[in-house]
Amino acid sequence: MASRENMKDIATATKPSSRNEIALDETADARFPAKTKYLDQETESSEASSDDSSADEEEQSWISWFCSLKGNEFFCEVDEEYIQDDFNLSGLSSMVPYYDYALDLILDVESPNDDMLTEQQHELVESAAEMLYGLIHARYILTSRGMVAMLEKYKQCHFGRCPRVYCNNHPCLPVGASDVFRTATVKIFCPKCEDIYFPRSKYQGNIDGAYFGTTFPHLFLMTYGYLKPQKSSVTYSPRIFGFKIRDPSQVVLPVADRTAGSEP
């Protein structure tokens, strides 16, 4: 009888412990149920983001790619509808080599004879496309849509600021010293002192000025008259020990000295 009672006591003592162990296992499973699911979701999201980024790279147009290059911050994106209108491109076919190939490259159109070009000819087509886009850009920024695109860049100071001290870092506008291609590089025009300067970036300083023309900044300020500031009247006057230096041309000589200087 004693042995049976002892066996019952042992059985009743072991049952709760096994239940407790099962309960602990269930709580552990309940605390960490989504670990593998979370990792799976994370890998799926990373794969989806990589797919989206690769898709964005594939879908990027030539115009967006060109304007995003370092040194091309002065350019705005020209609407493809504007480029597709032959009237807007009149006279450019005689100025740009490989004109048809360059135009197809800008509009992301696959040319049927593209495979027949050599590697050197492909490089010439790429440089011709940059030249053609720049000349189209000079015409586009004079239109209402082009003005709006350049206005956004002007508000964000994409064209740089005036290096003159008394202009207080006023935003500038791009301008060309000539409308003829390969004559002069682009400069920046300050509306406050109404003078031109070299861009600070060496990459921007290599851009042809004909891609912006001589008209743009002045027509831009006439269109958006509220952006034109009052011309700066403060000028720097050199001094020595606090005294202004007299301009030699304004010095009045005595009559004797003037007559003596006029004699042979």
Side-chain angles (χ1 to χ4, degrees):
M1 292 292 293
S3 61
R4 288 182 181 179
E5 290 177 358
N6 292 334
M7 291 294 291
K8 287 181 180 180
D9 294 337
I10 293 169
T12 52
T14 54
K15 282 181 182 179
S17 62
S18 60
R19 287 178 183 175
N20 291 335
E21 290 175 0
I22 294 169
L24 288 172
D25 293 339
E26 289 178 353
T27 15
D29 293 338
R31 287 177 62 187
F32 309 102
K35 186 175 182 180
T36 54
K37 292 182 180 179
Y38 173 76
L39 293 175
D40 293 340
Q41 291 176 357
E42 186 176 2
T43 52
E44 288 176 0
S45 62
S46 61
E47 290 175 358
S49 62
S50 62
D51 293 339
D52 293 339
S53 61
S54 61
D56 292 339
E57 291 177 357
E58 291 177 358
E59 293 177 358
Q60 187 181 26
S61 63
W62 184 93
I63 297 175
S64 300
W65 168 81
F66 177 76
C67 294
S68 64
L69 292 177
K70 188 174 183 179
N72 288 354
E73 294 83 4
F74 285 6
F75 289 96
C76 69
E77 295 191 13
V78 181
D79 292 340
E80 292 188 1
E81 296 178 359
Y82 182 86
I83 302 175
Q84 291 170 355
D85 190 347
D86 294 335
F87 178 78
N88 298 326
L89 311 182
S90 60
L92 297 180
S93 59
S94 59
M95 299 172 58
V96 181
Y98 296 96
Y99 174 81
D100 294 328
Y101 290 99
L103 185 60
D104 290 342
L105 181 59
I106 292 174
L107 296 175
D108 299 312
V109 177
E110 294 184 2
S111 179
N113 300 325
D114 193 27
D115 298 334
M116 300 174 61
L117 298 176
T118 62
E119 184 177 355
Q120 184 178 4
Q121 288 175 330
H122 276 292
E123 294 178 357
L124 293 174
V125 169
E126 291 177 0
S127 62
E130 295 179 5
M131 175 183 175
L132 178 60
Y133 184 80
L135 296 176
I136 295 172
H137 181 270
R139 300 181 179 186
Y140 177 73
I141 58 178
L142 300 180
T143 64
S144 57
R145 287 184 296 177
M147 288 277 183
V148 172
M150 297 297 275
L151 175 62
E152 294 300 322
K153 299 179 77 68
Y154 177 74
K155 289 179 177 179
Q156 298 175 14
C157 298
H158 286 185
F159 309 125
R161 298 178 181 273
C162 182
R164 186 173 178 269
V165 174
Y166 294 111
C167 288
N168 298 320
N169 291 323
H170 196 277
C172 293
L173 291 164
V175 65
S178 174
D179 293 318
V180 181
F181 180 65
R182 290 177 181 171
T183 303
T185 57
V186 68
K187 307 296 186 295
I188 54 174
F189 171 78
C190 175
K192 195 165 187 178
C193 62
E194 296 183 353
D195 207 348
I196 60 174
Y197 304 91
F198 287 100
R200 293 185 178 180
S201 173
K202 62 179 181 179
Y203 299 100
Q204 296 169 349
N206 294 327
I207 301 174
D208 200 289
Y211 296 163
F212 300 90
T214 59
T215 304
F216 165 70
H218 316 296
L219 182 62
F220 179 86
L221 293 173
M222 288 181 64
T223 305
Y224 303 103
Y226 65 93
L227 294 176
K228 186 173 178 61
Q230 186 177 1
K231 187 175 180 179
S232 176
S233 59
V234 182
T235 58
Y236 174 75
S237 57
R239 297 172 181 269
I240 296 179
F241 299 117
F243 298 98
K244 290 184 179 181
I245 301 175
R246 182 179 294 181
D247 189 357
S249 61
Q250 297 179 356
V251 176
V252 180
L253 296 175
V255 178
D257 294 339
R258 281 183 289 176
T259 54
S262 61
E263 294 179 358

